[in-house]
Amino acid sequence: MDKFKKYVLSTLAVAFLSEIYFYPFTSTLRFSVGVIALNLFILIFDEISELKLAISCSMAVFLIRNILVVTFKSITLQQAILLDYPAMIYYICFGLLAFSIKIQRDKDNLVKTILLLALIDSVSNITEALIRNNISASMIKIIILVGLTRSFIAYFVYWFYKKQELYILNREHQKRYSQLNKIISNIQAEMFYLRKSMKDIENVMSKSYNLYETYKDDEKLKEKTLNISREVHEIKKDYYRVLRGFESFLKNFENDGTMTIADVLVIIKDNTKRYLEENKKSIKISLDFKDQLVLKNYYSLFSMLNNLIINSIDACDDNDLIIITEFSDEENLYFEVSDTGEGIDEEILPYIFNPGFTTKFDEATGKASTGIGLSHIKNIVEDLSGNIEINSRLNIGTKIKLAIPKKSLIG
């Protein structure tokens, strides 16, 4: 919302709410709800001027009250102006005091802000009462009491608004952070295969150069083998640049932040819930994390657990159960992902960590899955100096246990 709209909407709200009023303790001076709204808008909107808002409110209140009085009461316009102009003076006085005191500067100080708003309200009301020639000691007491009450209500609403705003910002931050973790973990998965490809390229380049050395006396083969070596060398340089770029990117993220295991749990919950909704599955998920350690290498953990949970979801039907647990001993952190899904045939268990091995097929296209999920997890576990165990029974379920040295994750 731009600044002009804020002025207009705030002014209209104050003007119409000013027609909701009361006479406390049977006094003859009326007090409107509009002032609570004015206090609130001054606290919420940092970029608007207290004086400009109060002046615009004074004119709107004066105009609306004149229209209503002339329309619904048997008095002339001149009488209406004389009746309502002190209210306009009230708002102008309010704005001048709020602007002079700079009420927005220390608005996070609860006691100070409430007292200052009450002071501004009271002085402005006393000014209005003097113009109306309706002032007394008892009236001043009522004015101060009403000023404190309206200021307290306005600040309470402002405090609640800020709490809600902070909650929404935290939820949005959590959502973006979850998405970022998913992106980073996917990049990490590709990194393992980039590194493997680098080794393969180096082997091919070495072999092509050996061919060149072997057949350098043959002019035709010499030129062909040399060209192959050159082309492979160019491919290697391109791969190297890409690999170093990704490594630098990941290094910046991993060095700049840490995450508790509890935070990892929140992100996993969020991702799992979204994945289940996208795939229209009704599977029960149980998560139980015992430790509150701060992790440095949390992207690796997130990547492993995310892959394992998705595999379990794919193996489960509606009303099946997936349990994710975490516990530790002096040296290791343990993570278990177990499910009551379809299980894995004993005959194929020895092959499930082989790159490219898969039993999954897209029902719509018949296309096989990539088969890199479990091999990727195994690569990460080995890179962290840990180990992975799997137990599965067909039509009973699967349990996969990761044991990772604490020093590998904590850093």
Side-chain angles (χ1 to χ4, degrees):
M1 189 190 301
D2 59 38
K3 191 184 292 187
F4 178 74
K5 285 183 179 178
K6 288 177 181 177
Y7 275 113
V8 172
L9 293 176
S10 300
T11 299
L12 291 174
V14 172
F16 284 106
L17 287 172
S18 69
E19 294 310 301
I20 302 174
Y21 48 83
F22 57 97
Y23 296 88
F25 307 110
T26 65
S27 67
T28 56
L29 190 63
R30 69 181 184 181
F31 298 87
S32 76
V33 178
V35 178
I36 296 175
L38 177 60
N39 284 333
L40 182 61
F41 293 134
I42 287 174
L43 292 173
I44 290 176
F45 299 133
D46 294 324
E47 66 275 26
I48 65 175
S49 165
E50 306 96 318
L51 181 57
K52 289 180 181 178
L53 178 60
I55 290 174
S56 65
C57 288
S58 72
M59 292 187 290
V61 168
F62 180 70
L63 180 63
I64 288 173
R65 285 187 179 176
N66 273 272
I67 292 171
L68 291 175
V69 168
V70 171
T71 304
F72 296 104
K73 293 185 178 180
S74 301
I75 61 173
T76 64
L77 178 60
Q78 184 178 2
Q79 290 173 319
I81 291 173
L82 291 172
L83 178 66
D84 293 323
Y85 87 89
M88 185 168 66
I89 300 300
Y90 167 88
Y91 282 98
I92 293 173
C93 182
F94 190 103
L96 285 169
L97 290 171
F99 181 76
S100 302
I101 294 173
K102 300 190 182 302
I103 193 71
Q104 292 178 333
R105 183 173 54 191
D106 297 317
K107 63 183 179 181
D108 291 329
N109 187 324
L110 184 149
V111 176
K112 182 178 179 181
T113 304
I114 289 176
L115 291 177
L116 285 176
L117 285 174
L119 175 65
I120 293 168
D121 191 357
S122 299
V123 171
S124 303
N125 258 320
I126 290 171
T127 303
E128 180 182 352
L130 287 169
I131 294 171
R132 293 184 185 277
N133 197 24
N134 183 21
I135 193 72
S136 65
S138 61
M139 180 61 71
I140 291 175
K141 290 178 183 178
I142 294 172
I143 286 173
I144 293 171
L145 179 61
V146 170
L148 283 168
T149 303
R150 290 198 291 202
S151 301
F152 177 82
I153 293 171
Y155 198 90
F156 175 78
V157 176
Y158 166 72
W159 175 84
F160 183 76
Y161 166 82
K162 294 301 289 184
K163 286 288 183 183
Q164 289 297 106
E165 184 181 51
L166 184 61
Y167 173 76
I168 293 168
L169 286 173
N170 284 338
R171 286 294 300 271
E172 187 63 26
H173 173 75
Q174 186 64 53
K175 182 180 177 182
R176 291 179 182 178
Y177 200 57
S178 174
Q179 292 169 344
L180 177 62
N181 272 278
K182 192 171 183 180
I183 291 169
I184 299 299
S185 64
N186 288 338
I187 291 174
Q188 274 197 327
E190 298 304 323
M191 288 280 291
F192 283 102
Y193 297 97
L194 280 174
R195 291 190 184 105
K196 181 179 180 299
S197 296
M198 278 290 293
K199 292 177 182 178
D200 293 339
I201 290 169
E202 287 172 358
N203 289 334
V204 171
M205 189 172 69
S206 177
K207 289 175 182 178
S208 65
Y209 186 76
N210 288 337
L211 279 173
Y212 166 75
E213 287 291 324
T214 303
Y215 297 102
K216 62 182 177 181
D217 294 331
D218 186 319
E219 289 298 324
K220 290 184 178 179
L221 285 177
K222 173 186 174 181
E223 189 63 28
K224 288 181 179 179
T225 53
L226 187 59
N227 284 337
I228 291 173
S229 295
R230 288 169 179 165
E231 289 173 8
V232 173
H233 182 67
E234 286 301 312
I235 294 171
K236 179 187 173 182
K237 287 196 298 184
D238 290 339
Y239 257 76
Y240 183 82
R241 282 194 293 268
V242 172
L243 186 60
R244 287 292 170 264
F246 278 133
E247 285 178 344
S248 176
F249 176 72
L250 291 177
K251 185 178 179 182
N252 286 338
F253 273 97
E254 290 173 355
N255 286 344
D256 290 343
T258 58
M259 183 182 289
T260 64
I261 292 179
D263 290 333
V264 174
L265 173 63
V266 170
I267 292 172
I268 288 171
K269 276 184 175 179
D270 185 55
N271 280 350
T272 303
K273 182 181 177 182
R274 186 160 50 249
Y275 187 84
L276 288 171
E277 289 173 351
E278 289 171 357
N279 290 272
K280 295 180 173 59
K281 283 197 169 187
S282 179
I283 297 171
K284 298 174 184 177
I285 305 290
S286 172
L287 298 103
D288 182 20
F289 283 28
K290 305 292 186 185
D291 296 292
Q292 293 298 323
L293 298 173
V294 176
L295 307 179
K296 189 118 180 183
N297 200 1
Y298 55 87
Y299 286 117
S300 296
L301 176 61
F302 176 80
S303 184
M304 290 185 292
L305 293 179
N306 189 56
N307 272 286
L308 289 176
I309 292 168
I310 288 175
N311 282 347
S312 287
I313 291 172
D314 291 343
C316 289
D317 295 322
D318 286 350
N319 299 318
D320 273 331
L321 173 65
I322 298 172
I323 301 172
I324 303 102
T325 57
E326 176 275 330
F327 54 95
S328 66
D329 57 25
E330 290 184 3
E331 295 184 357
N332 297 317
L333 281 168
Y334 299 95
F335 299 89
E336 289 184 354
V337 179
S338 60
D339 63 64
T340 59
E342 60 188 17
I344 303 171
D345 195 320
E346 188 177 351
E347 293 182 0
I348 66 174
L349 269 177
Y351 309 104
I352 61 173
F353 292 113
N354 293 347
F357 180 82
T358 185
T359 58
K360 296 180 186 178
F361 292 87
D362 189 312
E363 293 181 0
T365 64
K367 187 177 179 181
S369 174
T370 58
I372 65 171
L374 286 173
S375 65
H376 168 50
I377 295 168
K378 189 170 185 289
N379 285 335
I380 298 177
V381 171
E382 291 174 350
D383 195 49
L384 295 171
S385 303
N387 62 70
I388 181 170
E389 297 176 4
I390 181 166
N391 293 290
S392 186
R393 294 177 63 186
L394 202 60
N395 301 319
I396 299 294
T398 302
K399 177 187 284 187
I400 296 180
K401 181 178 180 180
L402 307 177
I404 312 294
K406 286 182 178 179
K407 62 182 180 181
S408 296
L409 291 174
I410 296 173

